[in-house]
Amino acid sequence: MWDFKLGQVLGTLWKTKEFVLFRFLIYMGITLAYILGTGLGGGIGSLVGSVGDSKEGGIFYGMVGGFSIVSGVLYYVREYLLYMVKAGHIAVIVKHLDGEPMPEGKGQVKYAQEVVKERFKESSILFGVDQIIKGVLKTFNRIFSGVMSFLPFLPQGLVKFVNGVVNMSLTYVDEVILAYYIRNNSENPWEDARKALVLYGQNYKTFLKNALFLTIITWVLSLIVLIIVFAPLAGLMSLTGYDGNMWVLVLAIVTAWGIKAALIDPIAMTALMQVFFKVTEGQEPNPEWEAKLERGSKKFVELKEKAVGWTKDKFGGGSSVKDDQAKLE
């Protein structure tokens, strides 16, 4: 069976409902932007198409244009805003998972802001660590998913499901590592990221097992949400004069994604965080797994170099943090 305690996970998220609400408002804002952008584009396309006696074509291309414009704008603002909210939420989740009260006289939001600012005085460090971790995760994906290539007799549906489980086990690794760093209250984010990645790798069977259950839970809940939002969106899109189902389905998927990211993903993230803390308690990084990551990932080697550079910068000698960030970028 799974290793996470679902009751504690849900209880923790309820205690951090301010941040869950922040996430919900942000993702719903993104979803609304897509709906309005696509609908407005379709309306403009309808007017333009009517002039050229091609109303349906105008609606279609107008929707494509509106969807693309919104995607382009959100690309530049979404990641920073979401990650900063996510980092603060993780700081508070760690506090609750450990059963510790908030510091006296401080609310959750103020505490989270202080933790993020203290641990990441320069936001570029936060992004730098995150980007390198994502690079290393590609190695995990090759190691885990690559096994399936040696089993060609398996049905493709099963292979895709297994790869989905693998992806789920890796989806929240950057958040788990951030939680590990905050929990340790250490001074070197690069070194803690290195340790956490090795610990994750050497316990991958446990994480894959728990990811299997979380994948099923997430997909079932997401499908339920998709079914619920489809009909209202179909009615809304009909107001623009669009009677097809394709764009209704696209927007329903986007809306379901927003709700999933705001309300369902935190469940999986907190559960894997809980499992990580439980399984790795008292463990030290395995040199064999570290060597395996060094051989398979240039990003992991870069991560180790950043960790050493950070230490040298703190105690004299070596390049500055800003120089390291300039190289990263």
Side-chain angles (χ1 to χ4, degrees):
M1 203 59 180
W2 58 62
D3 299 290
F4 54 88
K5 297 178 181 178
L6 191 57
Q8 185 185 16
V9 169
L10 295 176
T12 298
L13 291 175
W14 175 252
K15 291 175 183 176
T16 63
K17 51 186 174 292
E18 293 97 330
F19 282 94
V20 174
L21 178 60
F22 287 164
R23 288 175 63 104
F24 181 78
L25 292 175
I26 290 170
Y27 279 108
M28 286 304 97
I30 292 172
T31 301
L32 183 60
Y34 273 115
I35 292 173
L36 292 177
T38 306
L40 183 60
I44 295 173
S46 176
L47 293 174
V48 174
S50 297
V51 175
D53 201 23
S54 181
K55 185 176 180 179
E56 286 295 324
I59 292 174
F60 176 80
Y61 288 110
M63 285 183 168
V64 171
F67 191 90
S68 300
I69 291 173
V70 173
S71 296
V73 172
L74 290 178
Y75 178 82
Y76 291 100
V77 299
R78 180 177 65 89
E79 185 172 356
Y80 178 82
L81 182 60
L82 288 177
Y83 201 81
M84 294 306 291
V85 171
K86 193 182 296 181
H89 192 193
I90 288 171
V92 177
I93 287 174
V94 168
K95 202 76 170 170
H96 286 297
L97 285 178
D98 287 339
E100 298 178 359
M102 290 293 116
E104 189 174 352
K106 292 182 182 178
Q108 290 189 138
V109 176
K110 184 177 181 181
Y111 167 76
Q113 289 175 339
E114 290 181 357
V115 169
V116 174
K117 288 180 181 178
E118 180 183 354
R119 309 315 307 164
F120 300 98
K121 293 182 174 63
E122 298 180 42
S123 61
S124 59
I125 297 174
L126 181 64
F127 288 113
V129 173
D130 186 56
Q131 292 305 308
I132 288 184
I133 290 172
K134 281 181 168 60
V136 179
L137 293 185
K138 293 179 181 178
T139 302
F140 278 113
N141 210 358
R142 288 197 301 269
I143 292 173
F144 301 154
S145 299
V147 176
M148 303 305 297
S149 64
F150 296 102
L151 304 172
F153 56 85
L154 291 178
Q156 284 301 305
L158 179 59
V159 172
K160 290 179 180 179
F161 177 76
V162 172
N163 285 335
V165 173
V166 171
N167 289 331
M168 168 64 77
S169 72
L170 301 176
T171 298
Y172 307 102
V173 174
D174 51 343
E175 286 96 334
V176 169
I177 290 174
L178 178 56
Y180 176 81
Y181 170 61
I182 291 174
R183 191 183 193 222
N184 284 356
N185 198 30
S186 59
E187 295 294 331
N188 191 333
W190 308 98
E191 177 63 14
D192 268 32
R194 181 194 69 81
K195 288 181 179 178
L197 282 167
V198 178
L199 289 171
Y200 202 94
Q202 69 194 49
N203 293 284
Y204 76 93
K205 291 181 181 178
T206 300
F207 296 118
L208 283 176
K209 179 187 72 173
N210 286 276
L212 170 62
F213 293 108
L214 289 169
T215 299
I216 295 172
I217 292 171
T218 299
W219 286 0
V220 168
L221 292 176
S222 299
L223 180 60
I224 292 172
V225 170
L226 179 62
I227 294 172
I228 291 173
V229 302
F230 184 85
L233 283 174
L236 182 63
M237 293 300 293
S238 66
L239 296 177
T240 68
Y242 182 72
D243 296 323
N245 289 326
M246 189 191 77
W247 276 104
V248 175
L249 179 61
V250 169
L251 290 179
I253 291 173
V254 170
T255 303
W257 166 83
I259 295 174
K260 170 183 173 294
L263 302 178
I264 300 174
D265 283 356
I267 296 174
M269 177 188 76
T270 306
L272 287 178
M273 200 182 298
Q274 187 187 68
V275 172
F276 184 86
F277 291 158
K278 176 183 176 181
V279 173
T280 63
E281 189 69 37
Q283 287 189 8
E284 290 295 327
N286 187 322
E288 292 182 6
W289 256 99
E290 185 167 356
K292 185 182 295 187
L293 287 173
E294 284 185 12
R295 290 193 300 269
S297 174
K298 293 181 181 179
K299 287 291 185 180
F300 186 77
V301 175
E302 183 181 353
L303 183 63
K304 291 189 67 174
E305 292 173 352
K306 294 287 185 184
V308 173
W310 179 279
T311 303
K312 286 182 178 179
D313 183 63
K314 288 290 182 181
F315 297 101
S319 61
S320 68
V321 175
K322 289 185 177 179
D323 289 339
D324 283 342
Q325 292 306 309
K327 293 176 184 176
L328 177 66
E329 294 166 358

